[in-house]
Amino acid sequence: GGIGTQVARRAHALGMRAVAEGVETSEQHAALRTLGCEMAQGYLFGPALWPGELQAHLRAEGRTGLPAS
């Protein structure tokens, strides 16, 4: 397998979840899910936000905070 597959497998072997950064397209997201990445971040989901901007964004969506990890 490619490096993405190996990274995801190593994370899982260590009891960790694999997180992909810099995801910009739905095709990248789909490919990463296939490789075993459970989480992703990047411009596909939205730009980086300062803490105050994040709180305002969550309130606008009717959410009160971040999900528990």
Side-chain angles (χ1 to χ4, degrees):
I3 191 166
T5 303
Q6 295 302 318
V7 170
R9 285 182 184 163
R10 179 66 54 136
H12 297 149
L14 295 171
M16 302 167 72
R17 293 183 282 181
V19 181
E21 295 186 13
V23 179
E24 296 183 2
T25 68
S26 56
E27 292 81 11
Q28 289 173 331
H29 186 235
L32 290 162
R33 297 278 301 171
T34 300
L35 294 176
C37 290
E38 296 88 1
M39 297 182 287
Q41 65 182 44
Y43 278 103
L44 175 63
F45 309 105
L49 300 173
W50 290 101
E53 294 173 317
L54 176 59
Q55 290 295 334
H57 177 75
L58 292 173
R59 279 194 298 276
E61 288 188 346
R63 296 168 61 185
T64 58
L66 298 173
S69 54

